[in-house]
Each structure stands twice: as structure tokens, then as C-alpha cells.
Amino acid sequence: MEFYQMPLFNKLLVRDIEKAEKWYKHTLGFRSVFKFRNEDNEVIMNHLRKEKYQDIMLILSNEFTIGNGCFINVLVDDIETIANSISEKYVITPLEQMPWNAKEMTIIDPDGYQITLTESNISDEDFEKLMNSVSKKY
């Protein structure tokens, strides 16, 4: 496991840290990097990672509310497999082709956080060409 300073990550307050870890692991392919425990050896913070720079921190709490003003966006490799395997109770917006060369769907985790999954339809090289041509127009 590679350790590095993370330039950006999300902290998510969760009511059941073990349940949240299992959901992120089985649904999206995240894995635990580090668990911080309290003096009673209970996990109170769990650092999860999917790919390099796709890090989230699950933090145990019973006192929080969730709004709809912030979504987590996760780039994935095989969105159709995820779309076919995830329970409908977690799907907010089903898989669809978007006009910005990506397939996307929005889901909700067990604590209510909204997550947009994105799979690009173009290669990194083609994306760079596209952005360079578009940026000249604006």
C-alpha cells in the first residue's frame, strides 16, 4: 500500500463504520488503508482508498445531518458491472450516457451520501485533445 499526502479527500460521518466500510468495499471496490482506534480499541476512523487519490475517511458519529448540496464523484472502470450489481434501493439516477463523453449514475450510500459514478468514453489522450479544442472556444 502506497502512502502519500492526499491533496484532497472527503470525510464522511457514518453511524455504523463497519457497515459503511463493507458497503464501500463490496459496492465500489474501496479497501481500508488504515483504521484509527480509540482507547477501547473501537474503530472510530477508517481511511478507505479505491485508486491513487481516491481516498475517503469514514468517521464514526451519531450526530450529523446530510444535505444534497455536495456529491462525491468517483471515476470507475466498469460502470455497467456496478450498475447491474447494485441494489435498486441505492440508485437515485440510473446509468445514462451524458453529453460530456461519459456514462454516469448517481447512487446513495447507507448513510445518505450521494455519489456520482462516472466512466469516461474517451482515452486520456483524446480527452486532452478535446479539452484543448474546447478551451480555445471559451
Side-chain angles (χ1 to χ4, degrees), residues 1 27 60 69 88 136:
M1 183 66 58
T27 305
L60 186 62
E88 287 187 27
K136 291 176 186 175

Side-chain angles (χ1 to χ4, degrees), residues 1-2 4-12 24-25 28-34 46-58 72-78 82 115-120:
M1 183 66 58
E2 180 181 3
Y4 50 82
Q5 292 187 32
M6 298 174 296
L8 177 71
F9 62 93
N10 292 292
K11 291 181 177 180
L12 304 178
Y24 279 92
K25 178 181 177 182
L28 301 178
F30 279 82
R31 63 194 180 282
S32 179
V33 174
F34 177 78
N46 192 345
H47 175 176
L48 302 181
R49 178 176 297 151
K50 180 168 175 54
E51 302 291 336
K52 189 170 186 175
Y53 304 123
Q54 288 183 320
D55 297 87
I56 58 175
M57 300 288 179
L58 303 178
I72 300 167
N73 202 89
V74 178
L75 184 65
V76 297
D77 291 327
D78 192 358
I82 295 170
I115 303 163
T116 299
L117 304 176
T118 303
E119 181 178 358
S120 178

Side-chain angles (χ1 to χ4, degrees), residues 13-71:
L13 300 180
V14 298
R15 289 177 182 84
D16 184 331
I17 203 161
E18 186 176 319
K19 178 180 178 181
E21 176 188 5
K22 287 178 183 176
W23 189 88
Y24 279 92
K25 178 181 177 182
H26 296 296
T27 305
L28 301 178
F30 279 82
R31 63 194 180 282
S32 179
V33 174
F34 177 78
K35 293 178 180 177
F36 184 80
R37 299 173 185 274
N38 65 13
E39 60 278 351
D40 297 322
N41 203 33
E42 299 166 322
V43 176
I44 58 171
M45 188 276 297
N46 192 345
H47 175 176
L48 302 181
R49 178 176 297 151
K50 180 168 175 54
E51 302 291 336
K52 189 170 186 175
Y53 304 123
Q54 288 183 320
D55 297 87
I56 58 175
M57 300 288 179
L58 303 178
I59 299 172
L60 186 62
S61 178
N62 285 319
E63 298 180 24
F64 63 94
T65 57
I66 297 172
N68 62 356
C70 182
F71 287 60

Side-chain angles (χ1 to χ4, degrees), residues 121-138:
N121 291 338
I122 60 176
S123 68
D124 288 342
E125 296 82 19
D126 290 338
F127 182 76
E128 187 173 342
K129 288 176 191 174
L130 174 67
M131 292 308 296
N132 286 333
S133 71
V134 170
S135 65
K136 291 176 186 175
K137 295 178 185 178
Y138 299 98

